[in-house]
Every structure is written in C-alpha cells, then in structure tokens.
Amino acid sequence: MLPSNFTQAYTAFVGLQQDVEAATLPTLWTIQYSFYIAVVLGGVGHFLRSALQRRHAPPGPPRLPFLGNALQVPRQFQFIQFNEWSKKYGPIFSLDVPGKHIVVLSTFKVAADILDRHSNIYNGRPRFIMSNEILSGGYFFPLVGDKDVWRRFRRAAHEGFSARAVEKYQSILSEAASLAMLRNVRHPGGWEHNLEAFAASSIFSSVYGWPALEPGSPHIQRIKSMVSRITSVGTPGASLVDFFPVMKHLPTWMAKWKREGLAWHEAESEVFKKFNADVAERMAAGEEKICFAAELMETQVKHGFSEKGSAWFSAVMVAGGADTTAAAVVSFILAMIHWPEIMHKAQAELDVVVGKERAPRFRDKENLPYIRAIIRETLRWRPPGPLAAPHTATEDSWYEGYFIPKGTVVLGNVWAMNRDPSIYPDYDVFRPERFLDASEKTEIAPPHTHQMGHATYGFGRRTCVGMHFADQALFIAIATMLWAFDIQPPVDERGAVIMPSKDELVDSGLVVQPPPFDCRLVTRFPDVEAVLEAAVARD
Ligand code: HEM
C-alpha cells in the first residue's frame, strides 16, 4: 500500500490529476521511484548529519531530552551565564533549545576565526517572523536574513555611513553636543534626558535634516516605542509564530496577533513615509541641507527600494543609533564618577589641546589620544549590546574538529571577550591606558579586535554599519562633557557622598546599561556657558 499512498501524495503535491491516462504510467513510475530514492537518501542524509552534529558538536552543558538546555538559559543577562559556561566548556561551546542549535563564541580569536574570516557563510540571521516579517514588513535591516535584501540595505547604508561619509555630519554632531552641555549647565538634574536627546537628535538630524530635538520630544518617544515593540516580540519565547512558522499563514480573521501586527506595521509605515515626504518637500523647496533620507530618495531606484522600504530604512537607521549611543555615554559618566583621576587626566589633555576659550571640535581628535582611549575603554567596559546580534550559518562547516551545521545560530559573547582575563587581567577596572603605548600618544589594541580592543560593534560582514557615526558621536559628546564639567557623585543632605553602583545593569531589550543614577555636574570655569552658547550659535 505504501507506493500508492506515496503516489497519491506526490501527484497531489505536483498538481497532477488522479485519473491519469494509462499511457502516462511508465513516466509516473519513473517519477515515483526517483521520489522514493530521494526520500530515502534525504532520510539517510538527515540521520548522518544529526549523528555528525551530536558527535562533533562543541561541548556544552548537559541537555534534557526534548527541551535541551531551554530551562538553563536565563531570559535576561544571558551573556553572564554564557560567560560562566565558557569558563567550564571553553571559548566555543554549544547549546540546544527546541528547534535551534546554538554555538557561543567567547574569545576574540574564535570570533575572528569563525565570524570574520568565514563571514561569507556566517552573515545570516535567524528568522524573526513576528518582529521582522509581520511588524516591520521585512524592512528591519538588522534582522533581515534574506541575503539579497540585506546586501541592498548594507550597500546603501555604507554610502551614507562609511568612515568618510560620516564626516559630513560633524557640524550636526558638534551643535548637538554643545546644546546638550548647555542644557546640562542650565538643567543639570536632567542630564540623562539631555544626553538621550543628544544621541537621538544627532541621528535624527543626520537622517532627516531636522533641527535639534528637545529632550522628551514625541519623535524620540516614537522611535523608542517602535524599538521596544519590535525587540519585545523578538525575544525567544515571546511569539508563538516564531516557534511554529506555519502560523504565519493563518488568515487574519483567525489570528488577532497577526491582524494587530499588520495594522501596527501600516500605521508605522505611514509615519515614516510622512518623515520622508517632509524631506522631499524641503528638497523641492531648494533646501540644501545634507541628510541621509534625501540621498536615499535619489538612489532608491538604484538600490531597488520601494517608497515604503526606503521610509523604513531611514527610520531603522535612527532606531539603531539612538539608544545604543546614549547607553555608552551613560556608562562613561558612571566610570568618571568611579575613576576621577582618569577624568582629571583627560581634562589636562583637553586644556592643552583645546584651551578654555572654545569648545572641542572634530579637528582636535587627532591630538587627543587619551580621549580616544576613553571611548574604546567605555565600549570595552560596558558594551551596550553584550551579546551583539545572532548570526546564522548558511552552510555546513568545521572549526578545529567541531561540526557547525547549516542553520546553527552563532552568538558572539562580546561581554566575555571584552573581559577575557588572559588579555585584560584587570578587566573590571576602567583603564584607558591599556589602549595606549608607553608614549601615551599612539593607540594599541590586542590582536583579532580590528584594532579597536573590543568586539562591541559585532562581527564579520554584519559589523555595526553605524560604527563610524557612533564613534564620532561619542568623541564629541565625551570631549565636550569633560571640557565643560567635573562629573561628581551626588551627596545627601548632610554632604555624604552617595556612590552609584558600578556593577548593576538593566536590560531594556535593545541595550544593557547602568540603572538610572544621580550625578553632579560642576562647570569647570566661569565661561563654560558663554562658550557653549557661542558654539551652538556658530554651528
Ligand atoms: C555605541 C553605539 C553602537 C553600538 C554599540 C552598536 C552595536 C551594534 C551591534 C553589536 C550590531 C550587530 C553586529 C553583528 O551582528 O555582529 C549592530 C548592527 C547594526 N547597527 Fe549598530 N551600534 C551602535 C550605533 C549604531 C548607529 C549610530 C547606527 C546608525 C547610524 C547603527 C546601525 C546599525 C545597523 C543598521 C545594524 C545592522 C547591520 C546589519 O545587520 O548588517 N548602530 N550595531
């Protein structure tokens, strides 16, 4: 009976009629036997691959039947548990959760060997049905798995955000930094909002050419809520459809989650299209201000983007840049409170190179090696994304005797790499000198770190496409902040110092950063306010 069942299944599958003419039977039998052979070979292949995977998988914590390691992987702060496991199982270990084989990399070297040197087969992303395909219509660039679509995003992003291209945003960043510090002089209690507005405003202005945004602006809130919605449904276990992909095909009348998700996507698309329409209007009126969205509108046909695709692209660039940069600035402030001697050393450098008559500018960067080392150390010490983003293997491969099958999710544990005790024995100490040679003029970095000394911008071909913009933003914010203020811990009503914890972290889904804390910003000299005012007016 088996053959007839198979034939029926096959004929139904390829759309053949059941009542085939007798004359076609020989052909049908050939098809039928080829089909059996394919199924048997497929089954044997699958069995062999599974055996290979079991036998040659990197070591890892013991698995339970069916559930694998699902109950051992925490929902938050996974990088900390993964770091512990790496101490026991080594720099490459594996985990199994239902439907997914995961490999975690914990040293710069294994990450460079696998994700950088073989980046052509490790540049995929796992499928994010709810967050990317439904809520974002397939346009959430960092989550896009389709190679062709991703390549188009990447090429277009590179045109606007390469090391060279981002220089055109320097005046926007300088103005935003001076404005944020001016707000800090006038409203020091709101420093965290002022710096959040700096990060969001500078990327908004670079993408849409808008004037600076106020702290708490509805635009900042909108992008934050977009990111938080997309990341919350994308976390493992949050959306059933990511476990059972077939559910994506349910009709909307049967699936409220899908109906609501698609409606949300349409509403967001309208907003993002309006942002772009506003840019188009200003361009038509002859405004010359350079912005990414304007350039993209001119090149969108070449890159193969629809109107909606290009509207989402611009908004996603804003989303990728705002919270990450703000989180790094907050960690820098915390470090300055805990290591004031570093702050004073940086201020001495600024006083020599910049002086007190003007605020720092980009052209000073070359002569401020200590400030540059502080930026690296901030990103090493408290990476805003301690697990970077998941990559997937798009082909089977081997690494040092371990088999990594196609479809494996590969995670680079940035946290473990940046705190590798064999490279940084004092990894918990904030010490920018580790990135300078004996003369303290030239930057140095350990091997396999792209000369950066950290892996905070990720790996291989999926390395953060906004990293040059972020580095510029961090430079001008940190230099202007240190030039203008002594950053001090708060004191209680009796004058006793309240030291904020340097070890606590909060995980917002997109970024990991210190929980909110107070600090005192004391202007370093009487003219700070006047100089910042002049800088804002000039830029
Ligand atoms: C301190 C600030 C930032 C940090 C720490 C950071 C970190 C990261 C990381 C870890 C990744 C994933 C890399 C990987 O998959 O291996 C990433 C991807 C990405 N970042 Fe950033 N980022 C920052 C700023 C920015 C900025 C300013 C922008 C936009 C201008 C941006 C846009 C993106 C985009 C679009 C991707 C996806 C790239 C792709 O999938 O090919 N990021 N970032």
Side-chain angles (χ1 to χ4, degrees):
M1 295 316 293
L2 192 69
S4 117
N5 288 345
F6 263 94
T7 312
Q8 278 177 33
Y10 185 68
T11 49
F13 177 64
V14 293
L16 293 176
Q17 296 292 314
Q18 290 292 316
D19 53 345
V20 274
E21 302 276 324
T24 63
L25 272 176
T27 324
L28 190 57
W29 277 107
T30 315
I31 294 172
Q32 190 179 320
Y33 281 113
S34 314
F35 178 62
Y36 300 151
I37 291 166
V39 167
V40 170
L41 286 180
V44 171
H46 180 72
F47 176 79
L48 287 177
R49 281 180 87 252
S50 308
L52 208 62
Q53 179 178 327
R54 270 196 305 275
R55 215 163 145 206
H56 296 282
R63 280 88 161 141
L64 288 172
F66 306 113
L67 290 174
N69 304 104
L71 303 180
Q72 295 149 281
V73 179
R75 284 184 70 85
Q76 280 200 317
F77 305 113
Q78 293 166 348
F79 53 96
I80 292 178
Q81 178 61 61
F82 291 174
N83 194 22
E84 291 308 308
W85 278 331
S86 75
K87 290 177 196 158
K88 191 159 177 196
Y89 300 107
I92 165 164
F93 69 87
S94 68
L95 301 165
D96 282 304
V97 296
K100 281 196 175 64
H101 180 56
I102 301 171
V103 165
V104 183
L105 314 177
S106 307
T107 61
F108 292 134
K109 177 163 184 328
V110 287
D113 284 348
I114 295 178
L115 296 176
D116 292 344
R117 288 191 194 103
H118 296 96
S119 63
N120 56 327
I121 58 166
Y122 286 102
N123 59 7
R125 291 278 195 235
R127 211 173 152 196
F128 290 93
I129 301 178
M130 190 61 199
S131 43
N132 183 40
E133 296 174 22
I134 293 181
L135 288 183
S136 317
Y139 298 125
F140 204 86
F141 174 13
L143 302 184
V144 167
D146 181 290
K147 281 204 175 177
D148 173 54
V149 178
W150 167 72
R151 265 194 211 109
R152 285 189 282 124
F153 274 124
R154 191 86 200 179
R155 224 173 282 137
H158 186 74
E159 282 176 15
F161 288 91
S162 68
R164 196 68 200 276
V166 295
E167 287 175 10
K168 62 180 174 264
Y169 305 125
Q170 287 181 350
S171 62
I172 292 175
L173 283 162
S174 295
E175 182 188 336
S178 297
L179 186 61
M181 301 317 149
L182 196 56
R183 286 179 178 142
N184 280 342
V185 174
R186 292 172 182 167
H187 312 285
W191 68 269
E192 209 160 340
H193 292 296
N194 298 338
L195 293 174
E196 178 190 73
F198 157 76
S201 189
S202 49
I203 181 76
F204 256 115
S205 302
S206 304
V207 169
Y208 294 115
W210 290 350
L213 301 174
E214 290 291 319
S217 135
H219 293 312
I220 299 179
Q221 296 314 321
R222 170 161 284 281
I223 290 290
K224 270 175 109 61
S225 72
M226 176 249 232
V227 173
S228 114
R229 172 107 200 231
I230 286 174
T231 46
S232 67
V233 299
T235 52
S239 305
L240 217 49
V241 64
D242 281 309
F243 268 112
F244 303 107
V246 72
M247 285 175 68
K248 186 185 171 190
H249 305 292
L250 285 174
T252 44
W253 60 267
M254 278 178 76
K256 186 163 171 262
W257 53 270
K258 182 175 173 184
R259 203 165 53 244
E260 287 178 355
L262 291 173
W264 184 86
H265 169 71
E266 285 313 319
E268 292 296 287
S269 303
E270 284 315 304
V271 176
F272 301 151
K273 279 198 235 162
K274 274 200 197 107
F275 288 175
N276 267 16
D278 165 67
V279 174
E281 238 171 65
R282 283 184 285 125
M283 276 165 73
E287 193 180 308
E288 277 189 19
K289 198 155 187 165
I290 304 156
C291 71
F292 177 69
E295 288 172 355
L296 191 61
M297 274 181 239
E298 278 167 10
T299 56
Q300 90 184 34
V301 175
K302 174 183 96 182
H303 291 300
F305 293 129
S306 61
E307 189 199 345
K308 196 199 233 185
S310 107
W312 269 83
F313 187 10
S314 297
V316 168
M317 290 306 285
V318 173
D323 282 358
T324 42
T325 310
V329 179
V330 169
S331 294
F332 151 78
I333 298 210
L334 187 63
M336 293 304 99
I337 293 177
H338 282 272
W339 285 277
E341 67 284 5
I342 287 166
M343 174 173 69
H344 295 137
K345 190 167 167 183
Q347 287 167 336
E349 184 183 62
L350 283 162
D351 290 347
V352 171
V353 175
V354 178
K356 293 186 174 159
E357 260 111 67
R358 64 172 179 89
R361 299 203 187 138
F362 278 98
R363 61 164 202 253
D364 300 317
K365 191 172 177 191
E366 209 190 313
N367 300 317
L368 295 170
Y370 200 64
I371 300 284
R372 298 199 306 266
I374 286 182
I375 297 170
R376 288 175 173 212
E377 181 66 341
T378 301
L379 292 171
R380 183 202 67 80
W381 184 63
R382 288 290 179 267
L387 260 190
H391 291 229
T392 51
T394 54
E395 284 174 29
D396 289 349
S397 69
W398 289 84
Y399 178 69
E400 300 205 334
Y402 297 130
F403 178 58
I404 306 178
K406 177 178 173 177
T408 301
V409 175
V410 182
L411 296 174
N413 190 355
V414 175
W415 181 260
M417 295 175 202
N418 289 0
R419 301 162 72 85
D420 182 342
S422 70
I423 296 175
Y424 302 123
D426 55 350
Y427 58 80
D428 221 9
V429 176
F430 191 94
R431 197 171 61 80
E433 287 78 3
R434 70 176 88 245
F435 295 127
L436 294 171
D437 70 358
S439 74
E440 299 215 338
K441 299 235 169 330
T442 308
E443 282 150 300
I444 50 169
H448 313 297
T449 63
H450 306 125
Q451 313 293 325
M452 290 191 284
H454 59 76
T456 302
Y457 288 127
F459 309 95
R461 292 191 194 169
R462 301 240 33 169
T463 304
C464 176
V465 80
M467 60 182 268
H468 303 294
F469 186 91
D471 268 346
Q472 281 197 163
L474 292 176
F475 166 74
I476 202 71
I478 287 176
T480 315
M481 185 97 197
L482 288 172
W483 172 87
F485 302 105
D486 269 330
I487 304 166
Q488 297 176 1
V491 287
D492 67 16
E493 54 287 353
R494 281 171 291 130
V497 166
I498 312 165
M499 217 47 177
S501 160
K502 70 176 165 48
D503 301 316
E504 267 180 74
L505 293 168
V506 284
D507 185 347
S508 74
L510 178 73
V511 289
V512 171
Q513 65 179 86
F517 59 92
D518 283 338
C519 74
R520 276 183 305 147
L521 298 179
V522 182
T523 45
R524 291 185 58 229
F525 42 91
D527 286 346
V528 165
E529 186 170 359
V531 173
L532 289 171
E533 246 174 10
V536 171
R538 186 201 63 227
D539 289 310

